[in-house]
Amino acid sequence: MRQVIIIGSGPAGYTAAIYAARANLSPLVVASSVEAGGELMNTTEVENFPGFPEAIMGPDLMAKMQEQAERFGAEVLYDDVVSLDIDGPVKKVTLGSGTTHEADSLVFATGSAPRKIGIEGESRLSGRGVSYCATCDGFFFRERVIAVVGGGDSAMEEATFLTKFASKVYIIHRRDELRASKIMQERAFKNEKIEFVWNSAVVDILGDEAVTGVVLEDTVDGTRRELALDGVFVAIGNDPRTHLVHDKLQLTPEGTVWVDGRSSRTSVPGVFAAGDVIDPTYRQAVTAAGSGTVAALDVEHYLAALGEAGAPDPAGAEIDGLADAATLGR
């Protein structure tokens, strides 16, 4: 039986693995068979992760994190978790291969996935003009014409941020009014670089090697037209990957895993969570990595307390009893 199993291999999962391995906990990292490395595997140059002034490719960064975790003794398994049994003191993780692994503790670091439009060209051009993170990729669109798809606060924030780089930013929304808060709307309306495209749905993204434009369908009369663009930022929401723990862990109103304050402790003893799966706000690689650190330290403290509780010292208990009696006698 393991001391700790980490589900997820993004910045949170691998950072937790690094810390846990250095604490001699011999963590098992279930990295997924198809999405190992998390969302950074779909990112090109990462310029905002500390320690890489010349930037680093997303897959290269994740490879280095994995190498560092394995150097200290973490084991990485390329498989997918299909079910969890976390009710008792022993946590059971069943994989797609049919094998079951058991551990005293579990770190849930499955991340979140950007909600996609679900159209032709979106997946094909992801990382080549289609992006889901303005703070990650905005710099690459200096003096370019781009569009943000969405009508909520996230879309307004992304569009406003992108005006620092782009020459023009369209906000494409399928209705004639925004869902965003009034203050976010006002900021966008006042920005001279932003133009709104109302009652329009993106039904196709054009381009072979890079985005060249989109096909828009009028949601009122159904007519279609093309809009020339250099990039498309999709901001229609994120979905935390919590399907494995529905009805098992307490979730927040935003759908993320609930944790106790600034800790990684979930509603089930021995189960900890880290990264984007607990974070509806920041969703950055560096904050996820910090969250993974917290999870590993919490696991270490939990296991230490388990060891103390599981092997009580009779002499120590007797001394504690005497101390209690002396206190009561005061």
Side-chain angles (χ1 to χ4, degrees):
M1 188 169 76
R2 303 274 179 167
Q3 293 185 82
V4 57
I5 294 175
I6 299 168
I7 302 174
S9 57
Y14 274 138
T15 303
I18 290 167
Y19 273 74
R22 290 185 74 250
N24 294 322
L25 300 182
S26 302
L28 173 66
V29 179
V30 183
S32 174
S33 62
V34 293
E35 295 180 329
E39 288 301 305
L40 282 186
M41 298 298 288
N42 301 318
T43 304
T44 53
E45 288 187 332
V46 178
E47 295 186 313
N48 54 4
F49 199 90
F52 298 94
E54 302 301 323
I56 183 171
M57 299 296 285
D60 293 340
L61 177 60
M62 297 319 303
K64 287 181 178 294
M65 284 190 177
Q66 177 178 347
E67 181 181 350
Q68 190 172 359
E70 290 177 323
R71 174 193 166 200
F72 292 115
E75 179 184 349
V76 178
L77 187 61
Y78 296 102
D79 206 335
D80 300 296
V81 178
V82 294
S83 66
L84 297 173
D85 182 355
I86 58 176
D87 289 336
V90 176
K91 316 304 177 186
K92 298 179 181 179
V93 178
T94 301
L95 305 180
S97 61
T99 60
T100 298
H101 295 266
E102 298 181 344
D104 292 316
S105 64
L106 184 69
V107 174
F108 195 68
T110 51
S112 69
R115 200 170 297 147
K116 297 186 177 181
I117 304 172
I119 56 175
E120 207 290 315
E122 183 178 16
S123 297
R124 177 171 52 85
L125 293 170
S126 179
R128 293 184 290 174
V130 174
S131 176
Y132 303 89
C133 178
T135 55
C136 304
D137 300 327
F139 180 81
F140 301 109
F141 293 86
R142 286 188 178 276
E143 300 305 317
R144 302 292 183 89
V145 178
I146 58 179
V148 173
V149 181
D153 278 356
S154 295
M156 300 307 108
E157 290 175 5
E158 298 262 292
T160 302
F161 176 82
L162 288 167
T163 59
K164 297 179 180 179
F165 309 102
S167 60
K168 187 177 188 62
V169 178
Y170 291 100
I171 294 179
I172 302 172
H173 189 42
R174 59 186 307 112
R175 299 192 298 163
D176 60 359
E177 60 181 4
L178 301 171
R179 302 187 314 275
S181 60
K182 291 298 182 183
I183 188 169
M184 295 304 300
Q185 291 189 40
E186 290 172 2
R187 288 176 184 171
F189 287 140
K190 289 179 180 178
N191 196 308
E192 295 180 351
K193 285 189 175 183
I194 294 177
E195 180 178 333
F196 286 83
V197 182
W198 302 106
N199 295 320
S200 298
V202 178
V203 294
D204 198 3
I205 298 178
L206 307 174
D208 294 324
E209 298 300 320
V211 169
T212 59
V214 295
V215 177
L216 300 178
E217 181 176 274
D218 191 297
T219 56
V220 177
D221 60 25
T223 59
R224 293 190 174 190
R225 66 185 180 94
E226 292 185 9
L227 178 65
L229 296 169
D230 299 304
V232 178
F233 286 78
V234 181
I236 56 177
N238 280 71
D239 297 314
R241 293 188 175 100
T242 58
H243 60 282
L244 288 170
V245 294
H246 285 177
D247 302 323
K248 296 179 185 294
L249 294 178
Q250 181 180 338
L251 303 181
T252 68
E254 293 86 1
T256 54
V257 174
W258 175 88
V259 291
D260 183 14
R262 295 187 64 186
S263 79
S264 65
R265 297 186 297 271
T266 70
S267 55
V268 174
V271 178
F272 305 85
D276 285 5
V277 79
I278 69 170
D279 178 10
T281 305
Y282 301 104
R283 298 193 302 271
Q284 297 295 305
V286 68
T287 53
S291 181
T293 302
V294 171
L297 295 175
D298 284 345
V299 165
E300 189 176 356
H301 296 153
Y302 172 80
L303 294 175
L306 263 190
E308 293 171 2
D313 183 349
E318 184 177 341
I319 292 171
D320 288 343
L322 290 173
D324 290 342
T327 301
L328 290 171
R330 286 178 186 169

